[in-house]
């Protein structure tokens, strides 16, 4: 871990979900933006090119397009582009990868831990 001196690891026990973990991360974050990515998500190489201009993130809340990759017997069968975004759009959906300004996160009191699923959708609706 010495190569990652600024990385902190938190052991969370009890009844947990993504909202609990993200709230713990947000409470302990020290920078202006929070960046969350689930283990089954992947950032495409050009992602940051589209969201950073003049060394600043262009929006307070950003989530990307979602492309599903479907495999059968370890071979890619097909892909499905769920939103098929061609331009910047405002929509109240997010998913397993998003960036949010910490002041906006705090304004909406972070993620609601009472939901078992879809906490990210709730966050998107409250962040508009």
């Amino acid at each position: 871990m010495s190569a990652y001196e600024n990385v902190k690891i938190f052991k969370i026990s009890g009844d947990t979900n993504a909202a609990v973990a993200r709230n713990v991360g947000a409470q302990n974050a020290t920078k202006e933006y929070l960046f969350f990515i689930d283990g089954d998500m992947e950032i495409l190489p050009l992602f940051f090119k589209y969201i950073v201009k003049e060394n600043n993130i262009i929006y307070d809340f950003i989530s990307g397009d979602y492309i599903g990759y479907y495999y059968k017997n370890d071979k890619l069968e097909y892909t499905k582009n769920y939103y098929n975004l061609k331009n910047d759009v405002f929509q109240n959906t997010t998913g397993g990868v998003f960036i949010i300004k910490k002041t906006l996160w705090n304004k909406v009191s972070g993620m609601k831990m009472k939901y078992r699923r879809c906490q990210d959708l709730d966050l998107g609706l409250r962040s508009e």
Side-chain angles (χ1 to χ4, degrees):
M1 269 319 238
S2 64
Y4 305 100
E5 294 175 12
N6 294 323
V7 172
K8 295 179 184 178
I9 298 172
F10 300 92
K11 184 176 181 179
I12 303 170
S13 59
D15 190 19
T16 62
N17 57 29
V20 172
R22 289 176 176 156
N23 285 336
V24 168
Q27 289 167 356
N28 289 279
T30 60
K31 301 296 180 180
E32 183 179 6
Y33 283 89
L34 305 171
F35 177 41
F36 297 101
I37 181 168
D38 288 356
D40 61 347
M41 295 288 148
E42 178 180 348
I43 301 292
L44 297 177
L46 294 177
F47 179 69
F48 289 103
K49 173 187 172 195
Y50 292 108
I51 68 165
V52 176
K53 301 289 185 222
E54 299 175 7
N55 291 324
N56 292 306
I57 296 178
I58 59 176
Y59 300 112
D60 290 347
F61 188 85
I62 298 172
S63 185
D65 208 347
Y66 175 71
I67 303 170
Y69 291 86
Y70 298 92
Y71 294 86
K72 184 175 182 179
N73 299 325
D74 293 331
K75 183 178 178 189
L76 181 63
E77 282 278 309
Y78 66 96
T79 62
K80 180 178 179 185
N81 190 316
Y82 282 84
Y83 303 123
N84 200 23
L85 300 176
K86 301 293 182 205
N87 299 303
D88 289 353
V89 295
F90 178 82
Q91 57 186 29
N92 297 70
T93 55
T94 183
V97 58
F98 63 94
I99 297 171
I100 185 169
K101 197 167 190 176
K102 193 169 182 182
T103 53
L104 178 56
W105 178 273
N106 292 336
K107 181 180 176 183
V108 299
S109 302
M111 294 193 110
K112 300 294 183 200
M113 297 183 290
K114 67 181 181 178
Y115 303 117
R116 296 300 303 155
R117 301 183 67 211
C118 300
Q119 305 95 338
D120 51 343
L121 297 175
D122 171 66
L123 177 71
L125 289 169
R126 291 184 294 113
S127 298
E128 75 174 281

